[in-house]
Amino acid sequence: MKRFLSIALALCIGLTMSLDANAKRFGGGKSVGAAPTHQTSQMAPSSPGMGSAAATAGAAGAAGAAAKAGGASRWLGPLAGIAAGGLLASMFMGGGFQGMQIFDILIMAVIAFVIFRFIAARRRKQQEHMAPAGAPMQREVYEQKPIFGGSAAPAAARPVINAPAWFNEERFIEAARSHFQSLQQHWDANEMDKIAEFVTPQMLEFLKRERADLGEGFQSTYIDNLTVQLDGVDDRADKTIATLTFNGVSKNSRFDQGEVFSESWNMERPQGENQPWLVAGIRQNG
């Protein structure tokens, strides 16, 4: 009985830790809301007629990277969790893994198989849920026509800054970096009331539904190598619009290899004094 409890404890801890691998960064890694009006330098095709080819190459590269990562690393979370669970069980139960028989190993294998099937089914369900929201925005990005007449914009095109006199680019970028990290922390803690201060009402409704799908519990997300790029500013009669592109690596733990991401935010600020900048849309760039 003592040995069985040790095995059960190890697998339960392993399941708990492996589920953390399903944690997602702020917004769920999807394209949603009002699409950014400025084109990022990463998305600009290198020459006319090459847009679809670049998109195909990018998709193939992403698929190849996912295949490489999926083959070896997708089980690292569950296996690491089970290993840690076994260590803790051994400590707490006083050496419950000593003298393990073949029947004990078979029990562990069966339970582990059930856990892995459960995790795989859950991930497939999440991927199917993500596809409808992400696909239309991706097509819109890759089918975008050149913004300067008949020729495509150069890959290193300078951002179009049509900003009001009060706009300070350096301070804006630093504030955006800080807000990106703060929003991720509020997202992990499921603090939607605090997120409401940074996003439009339309974005908030989507984010509430997306966060509810992840469960009410706390999740851990770490953002490394974060860079922020200002792609453009447009001062209009009713509001000022800016596009920011964030690049970095999203991790579920400090020791995780992580996932590289690039996404652009559509930021809006109503005209008037002391008005806040709000996230109105997110576009995934690849």
Side-chain angles (χ1 to χ4, degrees), residues 164 166 234-241 268-276:
W166 50 260
D234 188 12
D235 189 27
R236 301 182 179 180
D238 58 338
K239 58 188 174 182
T240 302
I241 299 177
E268 296 183 356
R269 181 187 187 276
Q271 296 292 8
E273 295 184 2
N274 300 322
Q275 294 294 327

Side-chain angles (χ1 to χ4, degrees), residues 90-219:
S90 179
M91 294 172 58
F92 292 143
M93 305 301 294
F97 279 75
Q98 295 179 359
M100 181 178 294
Q101 303 298 321
I102 186 65
F103 182 71
D104 300 326
I105 298 176
L106 290 176
I107 292 178
M108 291 184 65
V110 171
I111 297 178
F113 176 75
V114 173
I115 291 175
F116 292 159
R117 290 293 299 272
F118 170 78
I119 296 171
R122 178 167 175 172
R123 287 181 175 174
R124 283 196 301 269
K125 183 177 179 181
Q126 290 180 339
Q127 291 173 354
E128 292 172 358
H129 178 70
M130 288 175 61
M137 288 284 284
Q138 291 292 344
R139 286 197 297 271
E140 177 184 350
V141 170
Y142 288 125
E143 294 173 1
Q144 219 171 13
K145 294 182 179 180
I147 59 177
F148 297 112
S151 61
R158 293 178 60 83
V160 179
I161 308 296
N162 177 28
W166 50 260
F167 183 81
N168 185 305
E169 181 175 341
E170 183 177 353
R171 290 176 57 186
F172 180 70
I173 292 177
E174 286 304 313
R177 183 191 305 274
S178 175
H179 288 173
F180 187 96
Q181 298 284 13
S182 296
L183 280 169
Q184 185 60 65
Q185 294 174 4
H186 295 323
W187 177 262
D188 286 344
N190 197 16
E191 297 173 337
M192 301 307 298
D193 56 330
K194 296 182 179 180
I195 290 179
E197 302 175 8
F198 297 88
V199 301
T200 62
Q202 294 80 6
M203 278 291 295
L204 181 61
E205 291 304 314
F206 166 80
L207 292 171
K208 285 181 177 179
R209 294 192 299 269
E210 190 68 22
R211 189 59 178 85
D213 290 342
L214 299 179
E216 298 182 357
F218 182 88
Q219 69 170 22

Side-chain angles (χ1 to χ4, degrees), residues 1 7 11 26 40 50 60 71 99-100 149 162 178 199 215 256 284:
M1 184 64 181
I7 296 172
L11 293 175
F26 170 75
T40 66
M50 294 297 291
M100 181 178 294
N162 177 28
S178 175
V199 301
D256 186 13
Q284 301 303 316

